[in-house]
Amino acid sequence: MALTLEQVRHVATLARLSLTPQEEERYATQLSRVLDAVAELEALDVSQVEPTSHATLASSLLREDVLRPSLPPEAGLANAPAKVGSAFAVPKILE
Amino acid sequence: MSSTLTDLSMLELGAKLAAREVSSVEATRASLARIAQVDPKVRAFLRVDEAGALKAAEASDARRQAGSPLSALDGVPVGLKDIFLTEGLETTCGSRLLEGFVPPYDATVVRLLKEAGLPLLGKLNMDEFAMGSSNESSAYFPTHNPWDLTRTPGGSSGGSAAAVAAREVFGALGTDTGGSIRQPAGFTNTVGLKPTYGRVSRYGVIAYASSLDQPGPMARTVGDTAALFQLIARHDPLDSTSADVETPDCLTGLEDGVRGLRLGVPREYFSDGMDPEVAGTLRASLEELEKLGATLVDISLPHTKYALATYYLLASSEASSNLARYDGIRYGQRAKDARGLKELYTQTRGQGFGAEVKLRIMLGTYALSAGYYDAYYLRAQKVRTLIREDFTRAFGQVDAIVSPTSPVPAFKLGDKVGDPLSMYLMDVYTLPCNLAGLPGLSVPCGFTQGGLPVGMQLLGRPFDEARLLRIARAFEREHDFFRRAVPV
């Protein structure tokens, strides 16, 4: 199935990826090829098959709701590209 | 001294350390010297932590002196794929986006190695965010195969495999999402074990596809692989998918052989696309296992041909979700001139991720998006069920499954770059095991006429790693391929 440039741009928007025009072209070609290859799954009748979401079929685990020490704020902020006081700095959203 | 010292297996070095014939500082210095000698050619290391390794080695020697070693491998230096968080030591996962990231804590497996006294020599190269089968998608440089420097060591744990094979480290940890431990082990004449999903904690391991990722040991011998595996196979309350099962004893029965075992040979794994030398080596290996007392059983895993498509849909979908965290806000690199928050996200990710990572994020986003979820993601999850059922049926008949690790020996660097589909085919025999959550192991089984290693893959029932190691050891005992001198 051939993906249009417009579809590639839409997916890039959903994925929060800025792409150059050359990348858009490349991904249109490569994604189309990969989607063609995975289309072979359509040959299987899976109407009666349950999906497997996880290898171990683990059920939800619960633990006691008790306070535990967590990463101290300074350690959590140590890798921040930009910070203000004890907070991560981000660009203004509202003017 | 140093060249012979680095040729020792982990268990041999452990015995010499115990007998006080050699110190951990000497062993660590020998590794560092070997790294200085060969890594400019092999390029397995992203970062060598000389000071940290020597400090740990000195502490190990003090414990040996006091008669209180922490484990049989106390003092044996190893390396880590750069996907494991290491407190205070930069961790990039092979990506520019995480350049400069210094983790505030250790991954559980890193903590376990430290608690067992193993000095950590540094961080090993890998495909960016573990996406790749040749190490060429590393944002930094490709690693070279020590058996032929013009070829890839495989991926994504190619740095770990190359460092082990080149005797730069005595053993290493890698991770395996679709074959990333076994395929590079097969390419480099080393042993790689992908444990049962949930056997080894994923806490502090940078996520690619959470339902498939599994850390595991890589070493030169089966015994070393077993010993390293036992150090890291632990239930971990910090990982909600960690299996609450006992740590297995894989060393006690290791020499018990294969007599009486039924080994399945899946006809779908001996397909037309296989290199003739790989096929020939595998056939000869199967005959040998039979001579050693195993019974070979012809089996069928009929949905094998759908595993590749299933894997790439599921892994990419999970990746697109997991990699949403790299937004330039809390850690890693941030785009400099972005105006507004949305542009900050898109530019940080657009500039920071490499080509293969972007392709998989795009594929996953597409497969999960409105209108396509049922056709792609949900369908793949259902096919995954069929693939699991194939294995369940097979293990009703046999004790383990034997196949090639990879359809071809190590290929040339640059040969498959830019052609994702041909690169994906390198994992065709390894990834069904990840979809089913089973343990898988690659053990050296010979060399091509051109001197390239060939790997044999063993697949087992869930939590049956000890049996896989026993089969691999029975085979290894006949050959000692690990003694063969690496040309680098």
Side-chain angles (χ1 to χ4, degrees):
Chain A
M1 127 169 218
L3 240 61
T4 62
L5 282 178
E6 201 179 322
Q7 284 173 302
V8 168
R9 287 182 200 122
H10 175 63
V11 177
T13 305
L14 293 176
R16 300 287 184 265
L17 280 173
S18 67
L19 298 181
T20 63
Q22 292 87 338
E23 284 178 315
E24 288 172 358
E25 297 270 354
R26 188 169 75 223
Y27 290 127
T29 310
Q30 290 188 342
L31 277 172
S32 300
R33 285 192 61 209
V34 175
L35 289 173
D36 279 342
V38 301
E40 68 181 13
L41 296 188
E42 287 166 22
L44 287 169
D45 176 10
V46 290
S47 54
Q48 305 302 315
V49 181
E50 287 294 314
T52 300
S53 62
H54 229 258
T56 49
L57 307 173
S59 52
S60 291
L61 295 175
L62 301 173
R63 61 167 171 78
E64 292 298 308
D65 186 15
V66 288
L67 275 177
R68 291 184 305 178
S70 62
L71 218 52
E74 57 276 17
L77 281 161
N79 282 289
K83 58 191 163 189
V84 179
S86 61
F88 295 101
V90 295
K92 231 187 255 182
I93 298 170
L94 298 173
E95 289 302 327
Chain B
M1 171 97 190
S2 68
S3 68
T4 51
L5 193 50
T6 53
D7 284 339
L8 295 175
S9 75
M10 296 178 79
L11 289 173
E12 285 167 345
L13 176 60
K16 282 190 185 291
L17 290 166
R20 309 277 293 282
E21 287 171 33
V22 65
S23 72
S24 176
V25 168
E26 284 174 292
T28 304
R29 285 200 192 284
S31 285
L32 291 166
R34 179 74 183 157
I35 293 167
Q37 181 198 350
V38 300
D39 210 57
K41 288 180 275 185
V42 176
R43 309 218 70 189
F45 273 89
L46 286 173
R47 243 153 279 120
V48 178
D49 184 18
E50 182 170 335
L54 285 171
K55 195 171 156 214
E58 282 165 17
S60 171
D61 286 336
R63 283 190 298 272
R64 292 277 186 191
Q65 197 92 25
S68 55
L70 295 168
S71 72
L73 298 180
D74 193 334
V76 178
V78 294
L80 294 166
K81 185 177 183 177
D82 200 33
I83 201 167
F84 297 101
L85 298 193
T86 43
E87 185 179 350
L89 184 62
E90 186 186 8
T91 300
T92 62
C93 216
S95 181
R96 292 279 173 207
L97 213 158
L98 268 181
E99 202 160 74
F101 173 65
V102 180
Y105 58 91
D106 280 327
T108 294
V109 290
V110 174
R111 175 176 61 77
L112 290 170
L113 292 186
K114 286 181 177 174
E115 286 174 3
L118 285 74
L120 306 176
L121 287 162
K123 306 302 285 289
L124 295 158
N125 198 18
M126 57 182 286
D127 282 301
E128 183 176 8
F129 288 107
M131 297 177 191
S133 306
S134 71
N135 252 256
E136 290 163 292
S137 80
S138 163
Y140 297 93
F141 43 77
T143 295
H144 299 252
N145 191 320
W147 293 94
D148 176 348
L149 294 170
T150 67
R151 290 173 192 269
T152 160
S156 63
S157 310
S160 299
V164 172
R167 274 86 167 128
E168 295 174 69
V169 298
F170 288 87
L173 294 189
T175 60
D176 192 314
T177 305
S180 286
I181 286 176
R182 289 159 287 154
Q183 184 252 28
F187 279 6
T188 57
N189 192 44
T190 56
V191 185
L193 171 65
K194 182 236 135 149
T196 310
Y197 183 84
R199 180 68 107 169
V200 175
S201 170
R202 291 183 298 109
Y203 179 76
V205 183
I206 295 174
Y208 160 21
S210 306
S211 81
L212 306 165
D213 298 341
Q214 183 61 201
M218 307 177 77
R220 279 174 237 145
T221 71
V222 176
D224 289 358
T225 308
L228 200 48
F229 172 61
Q230 285 190 196
L231 293 182
I232 58 170
R234 293 274 188 292
H235 172 59
D236 182 11
L238 296 173
D239 171 1
S240 66
T241 58
S242 166
D244 194 359
V245 292
E246 259 183 67
T247 297
D249 175 3
C250 296
L251 287 165
T252 303
L254 195 61
E255 303 292 335
D256 285 356
V258 295
R259 190 158 295 284
L261 290 184
R262 292 169 64 82
L263 303 179
V265 184
R267 61 187 80 118
E268 292 82 3
Y269 282 54
F270 289 83
S271 58
D272 299 339
M274 203 190 304
D275 176 274
E277 282 197 273
V278 170
T281 310
L282 250 293
R283 295 278 173 209
S285 305
L286 288 170
E287 280 172 28
E288 275 196 69
L289 286 168
E290 209 168 16
K291 274 191 206 135
L292 293 171
T295 306
L296 301 183
V297 183
D298 180 37
I299 60 165
S300 175
L301 300 165
H303 295 94
T304 299
K305 67 181 265 204
Y306 301 107
L308 193 64
T310 305
Y311 171 82
Y312 279 98
L313 282 173
L314 294 181
S316 299
S317 296
E318 293 185 26
S320 73
S321 168
N322 272 327
L323 271 60
R325 71 190 59 163
Y326 303 105
D327 54 11
I329 304 296
R330 287 152 297 155
Y331 37 68
Q333 295 297 308
R334 175 184 279 198
K336 300 279 177 290
D337 321 311
R339 290 160 305 169
L341 193 61
K342 191 174 170 201
E343 215 178 278
L344 177 72
Y345 293 154
T346 58
Q347 291 197 2
T348 294
R349 293 162 61 78
Q351 293 165 15
F353 288 135
E356 184 61 31
V357 174
K358 284 185 206 168
L359 175 64
R360 296 200 198 187
I361 290 176
M362 297 275 286
L363 176 62
T365 304
Y366 184 80
L368 290 173
S369 65
Y372 297 102
Y373 179 92
D374 284 1
Y376 290 106
Y377 182 70
L378 185 64
R379 177 170 285 266
Q381 282 195 310
K382 290 181 172 185
V383 180
R384 175 180 178 148
T385 305
L386 298 174
I387 291 164
R388 274 176 64 93
E389 288 171 354
D390 280 358
F391 281 109
T392 308
R393 261 191 304 276
F395 285 120
Q397 287 179 269
V398 298
D399 299 300
I401 293 172
V402 190
S403 83
T405 302
S406 174
V408 295
F411 49 93
K412 294 256 185 194
L413 288 161
D415 255 12
K416 297 180 192 297
V417 174
D419 183 1
L421 283 174
S422 90
M423 186 74 92
Y424 296 172
L425 278 169
M426 294 303 102
D427 300 333
V428 68
Y429 300 137
T430 48
L431 49 83
C433 145
N434 299 70
L435 291 168
L438 305 171
L441 181 150
S442 179
V443 62
C445 76
F447 287 82
T448 64
Q449 295 209 322
L452 297 175
V454 178
M456 174 167 70
Q457 177 177 242
L458 304 168
L459 304 176
R461 297 186 186 112
F463 303 106
D464 207 15
E465 290 90 355
R467 196 191 313 255
L468 298 185
L469 289 159
R470 181 180 137 197
I471 299 166
R473 175 59 193 146
F475 188 83
E476 178 188 72
R477 204 161 43 201
E478 301 296 308
H479 294 283
D480 281 5
F481 287 126
F482 63 91
R483 299 272 179 222
R484 187 182 280 218
V486 68
V488 72

